[in-house]
Amino acid sequence: MINANGIRVLEIDLNKQKIKAHNRKDLLAYLGGVGVATKLLDEYIMPEKDALDGDQPIVFAIGPMETIFPVVTKVVAMFRSPLTGELGESYAGLRLGLAMRFTGYDAIVVKGKATKPTYLVITADGVEFKNAEPLWGLTVEETGRILRRRETGSGLRSCIRIGRAGEKLISFAGVNVDTYRHFGRLGLGAVFGSKNLKAMVVKGEEGLAITDKKEYQRVYKEIYQRVVETEVMDKYHGLGTAVNVLPLNAMNGLPTKNLQAGSFAGAEEISGEAFAKHSLVRKLACSGCPIGCIHIAQVRRQFGDHYEYYTTPISYDHELVFALGSFLGIDNRDQLLELIEKTELYGLDSISTGVLLGWLTEAFEKQLVREEMIGCRPAFGNASVYREIIDRLVAMDSDFYRDLARGTWYAAAKYGGCDFAMCLGGHEMAGYHTGHAFIFGQAVGARHSHLDNAGYSIDQKLQGWDPEQVVDKIINEEIERNILNSLVICLFARNVYDRRTVVSALRAIGLDWNEESLGELGKKVFRLKRDLKEKLGYRLENICFPQRYFETKSFTGFVEEEKIKQLMDIYKSRYYTV
């Protein structure tokens, strides 16, 4: 039976180059994924130390259904965020979950700091600590290419790594996963860099026995049919999440030019439809997913006379199109892809980078920062100057750029312009301007992400103004997502995996949960995150909302400051009663 001996945790000490394996039966009560990872982070974290102190832990976790049911493909990473100073929580797919599954480990804790640049090779037989000095300074792409040649393996191998942004401890550096996916948000790449950890190669080579094959196959088939034979997930394979660009634009919900507007005149040119027609060359799927939502475009460049060209494949989705497209006034697909490529090679979070560039452009226009500080003149729509700024950001060749490397909110607090620094809870906004529920939801969500509670979706379904209902929906959605994330089910499949289906799947592999106990788990994880955040200094009353959110008309009309205050007051009265 899966997890018969408890949750298997691999503990890696980079400083001592030692490992320990633990079988933790007490962690079974947290099921897996974000439940287990939050509990482990709470055990290992040092609240008195900075996020980039080498002693801080990183926790990776999967759940019991990983890979063996459709679309259960993610891995959660938890850490102290160098961007917000509080809870860091990020998810990624492709092959990492599969590789972890077949090493036999449910969770990996990385602690300590290596004495020199290091990469890890993790298998079921142990961990090798390898010299990464020759890789230090290389791009994400170069690092991945070299590691795939050096660390041979089957399709059960996953390679995650950082670029120069992580090495330079930029607060919004991400970790690349198998080239086309990322632990993108909240600065996990900088935490890797603070540990001299360049990369991890995970090779899964073990098998997994299913005891009741007949019941497993019955439940698997039922879920598979809902995934591929209904319309629930159809849009993710078709145009991918970039399908959202035109509808959001039409409803005034597409953040444009640092949210000076909610619609973009160039939206058609950077829409999912336009990418599919002119640039799309390939679709990929995470291991264990039959959908294939990862959309790959190509940039074509001439390198010689006589029509000599090479092409570069680049993945895109709605969030990248918003952050480096409409938010910066970029309406040319190739220029947008080149900006995505630039952030990818350095290993930057594209969303945070785009929002930072939006603030910088407006701060320059308002003469809060000067050309001699930036080294150029940022302007909406000018992709070449944005590429130059990204190069200088990663080079960190001045105090000004070292300040920018700490994120939008830090820069605005120092140089001015907090009213148009589009952050919520210190985290750069996601690609929606739908109304009160989105702004409120990202602000109060555990990791200040639109994915915590889907406020953008609540805005689109509300009938009239009912603040009690909004707060209830935000809290209940976060609890439900804690359940799904404890199984690390891709949230695209949230309408497939209702509680009844989750219970059937767990029972088919010998785990006895019911709908009520899952609900209690969701609440327990909510409370555990809340208490952990407060240990790290988070206080609800410190949340503030930049004025720009109230000045630009959204999908539901103008967002009113008084209504946000209403929501906050109700939320504060319920926050400790979950």
Side-chain angles (χ1 to χ4, degrees):
M1 188 182 86
I2 291 172
N3 294 150
N5 296 314
I7 301 294
R8 194 158 184 240
V9 181
L10 173 65
E11 181 183 307
I12 302 172
D13 188 326
L14 285 167
N15 183 38
K16 297 177 180 176
Q17 296 201 351
K18 299 286 187 184
I19 66 168
K20 293 179 183 174
H22 310 275
N23 288 322
R24 296 275 303 268
K25 289 203 170 182
D26 61 306
L27 292 178
L28 291 173
Y30 296 87
L31 189 53
V34 78
V36 166
T38 307
K39 181 68 172 65
L40 287 169
L41 185 68
D42 187 49
E43 292 177 11
Y44 283 86
I45 204 165
M46 300 178 184
E48 73 282 5
K49 293 190 176 182
D50 186 81
L52 296 180
D53 188 294
D55 289 336
Q56 294 287 17
I58 302 169
V59 182
F60 299 94
I62 59 172
M65 290 162 52
E66 181 78 36
T67 303
I68 58 179
F69 282 101
V71 211
V72 185
T73 56
K74 299 289 187 178
V75 176
V76 60
M78 298 197 73
F79 50 98
R80 185 172 194 177
S81 167
L83 185 64
T84 64
E86 43 167 296
L87 191 67
E89 177 185 341
S90 190
Y91 294 81
L94 264 172
R95 293 186 299 277
L96 182 58
L98 172 88
M100 277 187 66
R101 163 98 287 166
F102 293 112
T103 62
Y105 294 110
D106 303 296
I108 298 172
V109 178
V110 182
K111 63 179 190 178
K113 178 178 181 179
T115 55
K116 63 181 181 182
T118 297
Y119 76 91
L120 302 174
V121 178
I122 300 170
T123 68
D125 296 326
V127 177
E128 295 179 82
F129 298 80
K130 295 198 173 184
N131 181 18
E133 288 175 302
L135 302 175
W136 208 252
L138 298 185
T139 68
V140 163
E141 192 277 331
E142 291 165 333
T143 304
R145 180 158 34 87
I146 291 169
L147 286 177
R148 286 192 295 275
R149 288 176 181 169
R150 293 185 63 171
E151 305 299 338
T152 56
S154 67
L156 302 181
R157 176 197 60 192
S158 177
C159 174
I160 72 175
R161 65 272 189 182
I162 62 172
R164 285 180 60 198
E167 296 169 11
K168 302 290 284 289
L169 309 184
I170 292 177
S171 294
F172 46 95
V175 173
N176 181 284
V177 178
D178 300 324
T179 303
Y180 295 119
R181 296 289 90 179
H182 316 81
F183 291 111
R185 309 229 66 191
L186 290 163
L188 180 61
V191 183
F192 264 53
S194 73
K195 295 178 172 299
N196 276 333
L197 180 59
K198 179 69 176 179
M200 290 169 47
V201 179
V202 183
K203 298 180 184 180
E205 296 165 335
E206 297 289 289
L208 184 70
I210 301 292
T211 306
D212 188 346
K213 292 185 177 63
K214 186 176 180 181
E215 178 63 5
Y216 165 67
Q217 288 169 350
R218 184 192 70 77
V219 176
Y220 182 98
K221 183 178 179 181
E222 180 182 309
I223 296 171
Y224 182 85
Q225 287 176 336
R226 290 178 68 188
V227 170
V228 302
E229 296 178 9
T230 70
E231 296 180 352
V232 174
M233 299 190 67
D234 187 54
K235 74 172 187 177
Y236 297 112
H237 179 72
L239 293 177
T241 57
V243 70
N244 294 329
V245 171
L246 289 182
L248 281 170
N249 193 57
M251 64 172 67
N252 218 39
L254 182 66
T256 297
K257 296 184 179 177
N258 202 39
L259 199 59
Q260 294 181 34
S263 64
F264 181 43
E268 288 277 356
E269 295 300 315
I270 58 170
S271 64
E273 289 81 353
F275 271 105
K277 185 175 181 181
H278 300 288
S279 309
L280 178 66
V281 293
R282 189 181 179 196
K283 298 178 186 177
L284 297 176
C286 299
S287 299
C289 176
I291 294 301
C293 75
I294 304 169
H295 287 56
I296 311 295
Q298 70 174 12
V299 172
R300 186 167 173 254
R301 296 185 177 98
Q302 187 169 5
F303 65 90
D305 296 333
H306 307 294
Y307 308 103
E308 299 289 353
Y309 291 92
Y310 71 94
T311 59
T312 304
I314 299 167
S315 65
Y316 65 92
D317 59 29
H318 167 70
E319 296 296 344
L320 307 191
V321 170
F322 130 74
L324 297 170
S326 66
F327 204 77
L328 300 179
I330 304 295
D331 61 2
N332 179 290
R333 284 185 303 281
D334 282 348
Q335 291 177 2
L336 171 52
L337 288 170
E338 286 174 350
L339 280 171
I340 295 173
E341 180 187 31
K342 179 74 76 176
T343 58
E344 290 280 352
L345 292 174
Y346 283 134
L348 287 164
D349 173 15
S350 297
I351 301 175
S352 288
T353 302
V355 173
L356 172 67
L357 292 173
W359 168 83
L360 179 65
T361 305
E362 197 168 337
F364 175 70
E365 290 176 346
K366 296 181 185 305
Q367 300 182 354
L368 296 175
V369 294
R370 303 182 305 278
E371 182 177 355
E372 57 267 32
M373 298 162 68
I374 308 169
C376 54
R377 299 174 63 84
F380 290 119
N382 189 336
S384 64
V385 77
Y386 287 135
R387 292 197 300 274
E388 180 182 345
I389 292 170
I390 293 171
D391 285 335
R392 297 198 61 178
L393 170 69
V394 176
M396 293 172 67
D397 56 4
S398 70
D399 288 341
F400 178 68
Y401 276 99
R402 283 186 281 277
D403 289 334
L404 293 189
R406 298 183 68 171
T408 308
W409 195 247
Y410 181 90
K414 182 160 184 175
Y415 295 98
C418 285
D419 283 348
F420 55 86
M422 304 320 298
C423 297
L424 292 161
H427 198 199
E428 286 80 5
M429 72 177 296
Y432 305 88
H433 188 46
T434 51
H436 296 83
F438 163 72
I439 295 169
F440 169 71
Q442 180 168 339
V444 301
R447 53 182 157 142
H448 307 298
S449 166
H450 67 298
L451 296 174
D452 285 324
N453 44 48
Y456 61 95
S457 176
I458 294 170
D459 276 328
Q460 295 173 60
K461 296 172 183 170
L462 276 178
Q463 301 288 325
W465 176 247
D466 183 342
E468 303 270 349
Q469 185 186 35
V470 172
V471 172
D472 283 344
K473 285 181 178 293
I474 288 286
I475 291 175
N476 291 337
E477 185 65 26
E478 188 148 345
I479 289 169
E480 287 301 311
R481 290 182 177 222
N482 282 338
I483 299 169
L484 294 174
N485 287 334
S486 291
L487 293 159
V488 278
I489 294 168
C490 175
L491 291 178
F492 289 172
R494 59 190 179 277
N495 293 321
V496 172
Y497 282 97
D498 53 32
R499 286 197 198 181
R500 180 193 65 79
T501 303
V502 168
V503 169
S504 295
L506 288 171
R507 288 181 177 172
I509 56 174
L511 299 176
D512 188 20
W513 288 73
N514 58 44
E515 294 185 37
E516 185 179 0
S517 61
L518 287 174
E520 287 305 312
L521 170 70
K523 293 177 184 176
K524 181 164 65 174
V525 176
F526 185 100
R527 294 191 294 269
L528 188 55
K529 287 185 187 179
R530 177 193 67 201
D531 295 347
L532 178 53
K533 281 161 64 70
E534 294 198 342
K535 285 182 193 174
L536 299 175
Y538 171 72
R539 298 291 181 271
L540 260 180
E541 53 269 27
N542 291 340
I543 288 180
C544 57
F545 298 88
Q547 279 299 309
R548 178 60 50 79
Y549 287 115
F550 309 116
E551 297 169 348
T552 301
K553 191 175 182 181
S554 75
F555 162 60
T556 50
F558 284 102
V559 176
E560 297 177 33
E561 199 166 0
E562 187 57 35
K563 288 183 176 178
I564 291 291
K565 185 174 180 303
Q566 254 185 305
L567 295 174
M568 287 299 295
D569 288 342
I570 296 168
Y571 190 81
K572 286 172 186 173
S573 71
R574 297 183 184 176
Y575 190 49
Y576 293 99
T577 63
V578 172

